[in-house]
Amino acid sequence: MAEELQRAEKEWRRRVEREKERPGPFETVSGKKIKDLYTPRDTADLDYRRDLGFPGEYPFTRGVQPNMYRGRLWTMRQFSGFGDATDSNRRYRYLLEQGQTGLSVAFDMPTIMGYDSDHPRSAGEVGRCGVAIDSLEDMEILFEAIPLEKITTSMTINGPAAVLWCFYLACALKRGIGLDRVGGTIQNDILKEYTAQKSWIFPPEPSMRLITDIFAFAAREVPRWNTVSISGYHIREAGSTAVQELAFTLADGFAYVEAGIEAGLDVDDFAPRLSFFFNAHLDFFEEICKYRAARRIWARHMKERFGAKDPRSWKMRFHTQTAGCSLTAQEPENNIVRTALEALAAVLGGTQSLHTNSMDEVLALPTEKAVKIALRTQQIIAFESGAAHTIDPLAGSYFIESLTDEMEAEAESYFERIEALGGVLTAIEKGFFQQEIADAAYTYQRAVEKGERVVVGVNRFASEEALNIALLKIDAAVEQKQIARLRRLKERRDNIAVAEALRRLGEAAAGSENLIPHILKAAQLYATEGEIISALKKVFGEYREQPIF
Amino acid sequence: MSEKRKIRVLVAKPGLDGHDRGAKVVARALRDAGMEVIYTGLHQTPEQIAETALQEDVDVVGLSILSGAHLTLVPQVKKLLRERGMEEVLLLVGGIIPAEDEAVLKQEGAADAVFTPGTALENIISYIHENIGQLP
């Protein structure tokens, strides 16, 4: 049988070789060579129970839920935030009215970097690429008339994650909602900040302490919260290949698990609340295989390497966002099509939640109309395309299974290299990830310049069409308005109590107790983000990067 | 410009924005094109950038901004360069800059050129070669 198949394939190959092939290259967007045909011979070693299993069953290649989208569709969660809390609150309520099922907060650069809106370094950046949040007061406005006990909220915040999380928790407490009833995610993934997104505050060691403090506090008090969203998204946006995204993200994940164990926690106490965040790039099949491989690698390492016993610790749950870096400023309407393909890959790959980029995001923050089309894209996939009818529909495809295996093997060889360098933190210090990503980004750009990599409307089929879509403008008055609000707050609150809470936070930081109760206390007294971060900076210092290109 | 001296370029990331993919790719392309490239790294204040430009005696400053703060940051850098007698240094800006803001930056004389997403590296290189000749 196998021999006969091999003979038949050889015969087919002889016929194919007589045909002329178009120039190619036949490579994924990551530069991985793809064969012209995959056959049963490519999946001969596949063992269904060992390598795939049933959905909701180890090693979860086919999905983390037994019924996947037949039970509940993925959460449609558009990342959004701009201007001040009032502006963003209005957008959130609009998105919820349009059928969105979860919220995702985008903060402005000062908030991301731990500065208040009135800090000199914040000049010109307030409310520009996200919403400006300085204190609990802003958080209360941001979620006004939104039921915190009914929705889940994701917050893209890393360096100061503990602070923004405490603002959110304080907001719930003030409304009388118990912490066991709020759910959501903080990104809180500092490792990828050092390698890709570059929004850090403290050096790695105290940053990791804050993260394990969050693990411990959440396990006790906020059991429905995802304490970290280990992110490949930014690694990919910074220019990595799909395999690098897969490998570096999982390596970061393992580093958090190790840190949690080292901090004295039981792996099964915190691992079930670890979540992931991946990119959905244009290479359709490569992306689907990436998600499938990711689930399998995580399950195998968690069970076999870290000895996790709770099956929830083995399950990789992830959010996906379509690739911002795949969008083009030229003919931006084409981005709707790119995003639709990427979103479909994420769904076929079994994502738990999804953000679809708006067509205009390469030019500005999205307009209401652009966001609506992006959300409709998900709704069309969910309700019209039939893609969500059956679980992991591409399983068993010779190509899909063989590419999934290959990507898993390539990720494993990256894990070995990282281990040989001395682990993730040392590899960051040595600039390993940074260099790998910069090299991949440069290789890609050169390929685009040479026309080997086609970008429709940019280096092929380009037209000199002037841009004619409406763009969102951020009112420059937002900055002054926000600064004025902050000033009024500082006059109104109990400044003696704030100073005392900050002093005690600093003491705790110098010691070893869990910092979250101290941050929460300061948050409830309306200490600002900048004040809390400054108190911590005095003890922890700040991170400085060795710039490489 | 002396014949042997390589064109010196400072690639800088002002403000709080951490998106450095574009800055790094451009820095490398300019180096591959034979220029001397200094990259500041992230989170630079306009003062730091102007000071580095002076210390490194550069011919070109390239600012990469994707956070929307360009209307604040670019004129500041230009002003500080002027104050340090570097009026003639070419000031280039790359990033997400809406067309109307691009016009503002050019009219005010803050930026000599603005390169937005999709720009070919080759265009940036040739722009520098064509305009550097006007330097004393």
Side-chain angles (χ1 to χ4, degrees), chain A residues 200-221:
Chain A
W200 51 68
I201 298 177
F202 311 116
E205 215 171 289
S207 294
M208 292 301 274
R209 170 186 169 188
L210 275 168
I211 290 169
T212 51
D213 281 356
I214 291 171
F215 288 175
F217 186 83
R220 224 170 39 232
E221 312 273 347

Side-chain angles (χ1 to χ4, degrees), chain A residues 150-172:
Chain A
K150 289 203 184 112
I151 52 130
T152 57
T153 302
S154 169
M155 291 189 269
T156 297
I157 194 75
N158 294 278
V163 181
L164 276 298
W165 187 45
C166 285
F167 288 167
Y168 190 86
L169 298 181
C171 186

Side-chain angles (χ1 to χ4, degrees), chain B residues 3-129:
Chain B
E3 282 165 32
K4 282 286 168 212
R5 186 178 183 271
K6 281 184 174 180
I7 297 173
R8 292 176 66 80
V9 185
L10 179 69
V11 174
K13 283 290 300 179
L16 302 176
D17 168 32
H19 295 86
D20 59 1
R21 176 178 180 167
K24 286 178 162 190
V25 165
V26 169
R28 200 139 147 187
L30 299 182
R31 188 176 65 193
D32 286 357
M35 300 178 201
E36 198 77 60
V37 179
I38 300 110
Y39 171 51
T40 60
L42 293 163
H43 312 142
Q44 300 288 301
T45 62
E47 288 78 10
Q48 287 170 321
I49 292 167
E51 209 39 49
T52 311
L54 182 68
Q55 297 303 325
E56 298 285 351
D57 187 25
V58 297
D59 311 301
V60 182
V61 173
L63 302 177
S64 164
I65 309 175
L66 291 92
S67 69
H70 45 269
L71 289 182
T72 306
L73 293 169
V74 180
Q76 273 184 33
V77 172
K78 183 69 188 180
K79 177 172 161 274
L80 293 166
L81 286 174
R82 265 195 205 120
E83 285 173 14
R84 285 164 177 73
M86 290 181 287
E87 177 74 37
E88 302 300 326
V89 164
L90 271 187
L91 188 66
L92 315 182
V93 181
I96 298 188
I97 317 286
E100 47 180 298
D101 292 356
E102 178 178 338
V104 171
L105 290 176
K106 284 185 183 161
Q107 268 161 24
E108 287 179 354
D112 293 296
V114 175
F115 299 104
T116 50
T119 301
L121 296 171
E122 220 31 69
N123 291 355
I124 302 174
I125 294 165
S126 59
Y127 178 89
I128 293 176
H129 280 301

Side-chain angles (χ1 to χ4, degrees), chain A residues 60-304:
Chain A
F60 305 101
T61 313
R62 305 202 63 182
V64 288
Q65 305 298 341
N67 56 355
M68 287 301 289
Y69 305 140
R70 287 290 281 251
R72 201 170 64 84
L73 289 165
W74 63 92
T75 304
M76 299 179 191
R77 196 190 291 281
Q78 296 296 92
F79 182 46
S80 162
F82 62 91
D84 70 357
T86 311
D87 298 324
S88 295
N89 174 265
R90 202 176 304 126
R91 176 67 65 90
Y92 295 166
R93 285 153 74 168
Y94 171 79
L95 286 167
L96 291 170
E97 276 161 28
Q98 296 301 315
Q100 175 167 294
T101 49
L103 291 176
S104 173
V105 183
F107 296 102
D108 68 357
M109 284 313 305
T111 306
I112 286 171
M113 295 299 291
Y115 294 110
D116 284 342
S117 299
D118 59 356
H119 193 280
R121 298 223 54 174
S122 304
E125 315 241 25
V126 176
R128 286 280 165 191
C129 59
V131 59
I133 300 292
D134 291 320
S135 72
L136 169 57
E137 182 184 46
D138 295 327
M139 198 62 101
E140 290 171 279
I141 298 168
L142 189 63
F143 288 97
E144 206 174 286
I146 296 172
L148 297 184
E149 68 282 15
K150 289 203 184 112
I151 52 130
T152 57
T153 302
S154 169
M155 291 189 269
T156 297
I157 194 75
N158 294 278
V163 181
L164 276 298
W165 187 45
C166 285
F167 288 167
Y168 190 86
L169 298 181
C171 186
L173 287 171
K174 217 179 152 188
R175 288 195 202 167
I177 303 164
L179 296 187
D180 56 340
R181 289 170 64 209
V182 296
T185 306
I186 37 176
Q187 196 162 78
N188 197 27
D189 171 15
I190 200 67
L191 293 173
K192 66 91 178 55
E193 294 300 331
Y194 299 126
T195 60
Q197 185 165 245
K198 313 292 176 81
S199 298
W200 51 68
I201 298 177
F202 311 116
E205 215 171 289
S207 294
M208 292 301 274
R209 170 186 169 188
L210 275 168
I211 290 169
T212 51
D213 281 356
I214 291 171
F215 288 175
F217 186 83
R220 224 170 39 232
E221 312 273 347
V222 207
R224 290 178 57 212
W225 204 276
N226 297 313
T227 49
V228 55
S229 171
I230 305 156
S231 307
Y233 185 81
H234 319 84
I235 294 173
R236 192 68 181 278
E237 289 291 302
S240 84
T241 64
V243 165
Q244 286 168 345
E245 178 195 356
L246 173 67
F248 299 171
T249 309
L250 278 123
D252 287 349
F254 301 144
Y256 291 121
V257 172
E258 282 164 0
I261 293 171
E262 261 168 50
L265 304 171
D266 186 290
V267 64
D268 286 320
D269 281 344
F270 66 93
R273 299 317 300 177
L274 304 180
S275 62
F276 286 81
F277 173 23
F278 288 109
N279 199 297
H281 212 294
L282 272 170
D283 211 287
F284 192 69
F285 298 108
E286 185 175 47
E287 294 303 284
I288 295 166
C289 296
K290 180 182 76 186
Y291 309 123
R292 299 175 84 248
R295 276 193 296 269
R296 187 159 73 199
I297 297 170
W298 184 250
R300 284 179 173 164
H301 281 253
M302 289 308 289
K303 188 175 179 209
E304 287 159 27

